[in-house]
Amino acid sequence: MAQNIVEKILSAHRVSGELIPGKELALRIDQTLTQDATGTMAYLQFESMGLDRVKADLAVSYVDHNTIQVGFENADDHAYLKSVAQRYGVVFSRPGNGICHQLHLERFGKPGATLLGSDSHTPTGGGIGMIAIGAGGIDVAVAMGGGPFFLTCPKVTLVRLTGSLKPGVSAKDVILNVLSVYGTNGNVGRVLEYGGPGVADLGVPARATITNMGAELGVTTSVFPSDATTRSFLKAQGRERDWVELAADAGASYDTTLEIDLCALEPLAACPHSPGVIATVASLAGKKVQQVLIGSCTNSSYRDLKTAALMLRGKKIHPDVEVGVAPGSRQVVEMLAKEGLLTDLVSAGVRMLENACGFCIGNHMSPGTDAISLRTSNRNFEGRTGTQSAQVYLVSPETAVAAALTGVFTDPRTLGALPTEVAEPAAFDVDDSLFLFCETAGKGVPGTAIVRGPNIGQVPSGKPLPEKLDGVAVIKVGDKITTDHIMPAGARLKYRSNVPQYAKYVFEHVDPAFHANASANRDAGLYNVIVAGESYGQGSSREHAAMCPMYLGVKALIAKSIERIHLANLINFGIVPFIFDNPADYGAIKQGDKLVIDGLREAVSGDGKAVVKNVTRGASLPVSTALSTRQKTILVNGGLLAAVATGAV
Ligand code: MIC
Ligand code: SF4
């Protein structure tokens, strides 16, 4: 039977389950990646599984998020990650090497392979034809140990590209266009497969920008074919041997199709405070801009930064705008330096930033009060920059540079002659010396002492599901609550390895009393329940957004809908993810209400149907949770680690 690309890769990696959309599927994972902000917990959980080494073909541990090192915490984390990598046979990417997704694309990704990463932008690998999926750290730990990854078999949408991009319009505008069509919610359980004649017009960095930001749609992943362009990219990275051709069979079928004519696209921007609020740059023209930042795993490739440097050549940035550039990898910096492009950037007045996540995660370069910041990154959630009142717009590198020069939103096409599309080099500068390959790669060095500074905490353990839930609606939130709302990033990130400490900041900017209220309920023997609207848990893969609430005694969430990675994380940490049967019942609970669910354990192990009794208001609200047998076992045992420890899964 004719297969599309997604079906080809999924069927080649199927361990169990069925390739029927909506059914649970277990996949063999070829490669894993972690980054430092999620990695410490992933490796602590891996350690607790008692395995003697990593079993996946390749596991890489990147340090790219918390590289600022204010205080001892980040440095402690790096030392732990380095030692644990050596001990278990994980490749360690030292700070200074670059951003995980850019580096993985450059040095390790393989068309046709599966990649599981503890970061929601792992689908960047889809740019070279991988099925690359973001997941919580514990799922990645299981995959490192050779265990399969369980997911809901997705529906596949074909995004059929025709035509070619006009000068001044680039990959970011393609994905912003897709976001304008599909929005940031309602896309769970879907993969976007790109195809059509327009694919040939896009280089690998452009494809990777598009698959990277597919994460903002909430899809499981996005994938491009592997063709002659992919082959030249891998060849230029000295890895032509990793290339295989990958195309959909003639007559392959898709659930739905979206047609995009690349010629018809124009520069776009995602407006505050969601990647799904799209406007044309032309409609914003003239609006004053205070900050422009180019970089992040979405737009920090050699192609993007060379384009920026050429646009800035011989010019100066506007006196009212601060401009920063954070390259994606050391390779990119070296190539820019050798070609004199770094000089173009610096002499234009750009502040060169470290090749790391940096500004994107809000750990520096916070804009001023009420400032408008144009960024080439992928998320503009409120407060993510570290400045609650800042207004962040997500744009292409071309639009970012246009504003850097003029001080206002400017359609780059109005700037006059734009540089011609940057050609990929025939050979990239390859220098893998900031990767520490374990001498006995994949085997590990059993005697290695693991370095545990005071910032390295313990993994909290979950308690089995009670027969009955006696609880309190500890918080009630609205729609589109992101993991940044639940577990703030930025300056708080450094507590990632220490759950009791990090838990103090759960919902910090939504309800500053959350920690105190939740702790008081827990200490009084009551369970905490979170009540939410649509699309709860958008954004990152950070499992802390489930782990820290679990630590504070949260045992159930009742929402109108829940996003994929977060849903899996809730189950992994023993929090029951209920959906209102009648969305209007959301109005029947207020913060602080006493809630009781009789027969909770029975409901979860059975058909997932339960009734929430709102004791305070005398209402009975039907709720449901759709769980696989494995997920039921995990919840009943109090989470994945507990279930693994008891041998239940
Ligand atoms: C993000 O962009 O929000 C992050 C930080 O990269 C997260 C991972 C994390 O929370 O560490 C992600 O996207 O998964
Ligand atoms: Fe890093 Fe930002 Fe990419 Fe997350 S989105 S991996 S913080 S660059």
Side-chain angles (χ1 to χ4, degrees):
M1 216 180 80
Q3 285 186 311
N4 59 41
I5 295 174
V6 177
E7 288 165 340
K8 284 185 186 188
I9 304 180
L10 293 186
S11 55
H13 289 82
R14 190 178 67 92
V15 175
S16 65
E18 291 169 276
L19 258 175
I20 300 175
K23 299 267 185 211
E24 190 177 68
L25 187 64
L27 287 186
R28 178 168 52 77
I29 296 299
D30 301 320
Q31 303 187 344
T32 63
L33 74 76
T34 56
Q35 39 87 340
D36 51 304
T38 53
T40 46
M41 274 299 151
Y43 293 103
L44 284 167
Q45 294 175 108
F46 181 81
E47 282 190 86
S48 76
M49 289 172 190
L51 298 172
D52 64 341
R53 66 180 175 86
V54 157
K55 301 225 165 63
D57 294 351
L58 173 79
V60 190
S61 169
Y62 294 93
V63 178
D64 54 1
H65 278 63
N66 293 328
T67 53
I68 293 292
Q69 296 176 214
V70 178
F72 63 90
E73 292 91 345
N74 298 163
D76 274 11
D77 286 0
H78 304 169
Y80 167 74
L81 290 168
K82 181 168 178 252
S83 62
V84 88
Q86 175 81 1
R87 165 69 186 81
Y88 291 104
V90 175
V91 178
F92 181 68
S93 173
R94 299 182 61 194
N97 210 14
I99 307 175
C100 56
H101 308 303
Q102 172 70 21
L103 287 167
H104 208 84
L105 198 70
E106 290 174 358
R107 307 303 309 137
F108 300 112
K110 286 186 187 175
T114 51
L115 166 68
L116 194 72
S118 61
D119 192 281
S120 63
H121 292 102
T122 304
T124 312
I128 52 169
M130 305 188 87
I131 287 289
I133 303 178
I138 190 164
D139 283 333
V140 177
V142 169
M144 282 194 281
F149 173 61
F150 291 83
L151 79 164
T152 307
C153 180
K155 292 182 177 158
V156 186
T157 290
L158 173 66
V159 183
R160 199 169 164 277
L161 305 176
T162 51
S164 54
L165 292 170
K166 298 248 172 69
V169 184
S170 62
K172 186 61 152 282
D173 302 309
V174 178
I175 187 62
L176 292 178
N177 180 267
V178 178
L179 276 152
S180 75
V181 177
Y182 289 132
T184 56
N185 55 311
N187 304 312
V188 172
R190 188 167 290 282
V191 173
L192 300 189
E193 179 175 317
Y194 287 82
V199 165
D201 186 56
L202 302 174
V204 163
R207 298 175 187 186
T209 294
I210 294 169
T211 57
N212 169 286
M213 218 177 154
E216 276 49 67
L217 295 158
V219 294
T220 308
T221 190
S222 307
V223 65
F224 270 84
S226 167
D227 56 9
T229 305
T230 323
R231 182 179 203 157
S232 335
F233 175 83
L234 290 173
K235 186 170 178 207
Q237 290 288 353
R239 305 202 286 122
E240 196 179 5
R241 64 182 181 282
D242 288 339
W243 181 76
V244 291
E245 188 169 16
L246 208 57
D249 295 332
S253 64
Y254 296 89
D255 179 57
T256 48
T257 300
L258 174 68
E259 298 274 350
I260 297 181
D261 176 5
L262 297 176
C263 307
L265 296 183
E266 62 175 306
L268 297 173
C271 307
H273 295 289
S274 167
V277 182
I278 308 295
T280 62
V281 174
S283 72
L284 299 163
K287 206 179 180 52
K288 261 193 110 31
V289 167
Q290 281 79 36
Q291 186 186 57
V292 169
L293 296 175
I294 304 177
S296 93
C297 56
T298 322
N299 281 114
S300 58
S301 63
Y302 167 76
R303 181 268 169 211
D304 286 342
L305 300 196
K306 182 165 178 175
T307 304
L310 293 176
M311 284 177 74
L312 288 167
R313 179 167 281 175
K315 306 201 170 100
K316 300 290 176 203
I317 59 167
H318 189 276
D320 295 341
V321 187
E322 104 177 315
V323 184
V325 169
S329 69
R330 199 164 64 111
Q331 180 181 82
V332 172
V333 186
E334 281 192 29
M335 306 239 344
L336 293 178
K338 282 197 186 142
E339 292 182 33
L341 296 156
L342 218 42
T343 313
D344 292 319
L345 293 170
V346 172
S347 70
V350 165
R351 291 167 67 179
M352 287 308 296
L353 308 173
E354 190 179 8
N355 33 308
C357 296
F359 71 81
C360 176
I361 193 56
N363 65 16
H364 71 158
M365 297 300 285
S366 299
T369 306
D370 300 334
I372 292 193
S373 175
L374 259 64
R375 300 178 169 216
T376 65
S377 41
N378 46 37
R379 289 189 173 144
N380 56 349
F381 303 145
E382 195 172 3
R384 180 173 167 99
T385 60
T387 305
Q388 211 56 28
S389 67
Q391 307 285 310
V392 178
Y393 292 78
L394 306 173
V395 296
S396 70
E398 289 84 343
T399 301
V401 174
L405 289 169
T406 59
V408 291
F409 268 95
T410 305
D411 185 328
R413 296 171 304 173
T414 62
L415 280 184
L418 287 165
T420 48
E421 182 58 30
V422 170
E424 285 297 317
F428 287 98
D429 279 337
V430 175
D431 171 2
D432 286 337
S433 58
L434 282 192
F435 286 109
L436 303 183
F437 294 92
C438 188
E439 230 169 79
T440 46
K443 295 211 173 60
V445 179
T448 310
I450 296 187
V451 183
R452 288 178 218 276
N455 195 44
I456 305 295
Q458 306 258 316
V459 183
S461 62
K463 307 231 167 22
L465 203 64
E467 294 299 338
K468 168 187 174 190
L469 181 136
D470 245 319
V472 180
V474 62
I475 190 169
K476 180 174 175 182
V477 291
D479 294 343
K480 294 191 183 182
I481 288 296
T482 72
T483 48
D484 278 4
H485 288 111
I486 309 169
M487 282 309 336
R492 303 299 187 209
L493 268 185
K494 66 179 185 180
Y495 302 121
R496 284 290 184 88
S497 313
N498 187 338
V499 170
Q501 178 64 25
Y502 198 31
K504 291 185 183 151
Y505 309 110
V506 179
F507 285 119
E508 188 186 13
H509 300 296
V510 181
D511 176 4
F514 182 88
H515 177 260
N517 291 342
S519 311
N521 292 336
R522 179 196 56 192
D523 298 345
L526 291 167
Y527 287 105
N528 288 304
V529 179
I530 297 172
V531 179
E534 297 282 3
S535 195
Y536 183 80
Q538 282 195 357
S540 81
S541 67
R542 76 188 62 134
E543 60 189 346
H544 300 75
M547 188 190 282
C548 294
M550 170 186 90
Y551 174 78
L552 296 177
V554 174
K555 214 38 177 172
L557 162 75
I558 315 174
K560 291 188 193 168
S561 64
I562 309 170
E563 291 298 310
R564 177 189 67 87
I565 305 181
H566 190 60
L567 177 82
N569 286 338
L570 289 169
I571 295 171
N572 283 343
F573 291 95
I575 299 176
V576 185
F578 281 120
I579 303 290
F580 287 105
D581 287 356
N582 311 312
D585 285 348
Y586 168 80
I589 307 180
K590 297 232 163 0
Q591 184 159 333
D593 285 357
K594 288 247 150 41
L595 305 177
V596 170
I597 307 178
D598 286 316
L600 173 70
R601 198 180 165 100
E602 206 184 312
V604 167
S605 8
D607 61 4
K609 294 198 174 304
V611 173
V612 178
K613 277 198 266 172
N614 186 337
V615 179
T616 311
R617 283 167 216 288
S620 288
L621 318 168
V623 295
S624 318
T625 177
L627 302 167
S628 69
T629 310
R630 178 176 169 276
Q631 290 172 325
K632 290 176 184 175
T633 312
I634 293 173
L635 280 175
V636 166
N637 280 276
L640 182 53
L641 263 196
V644 168
T646 56
V649 291

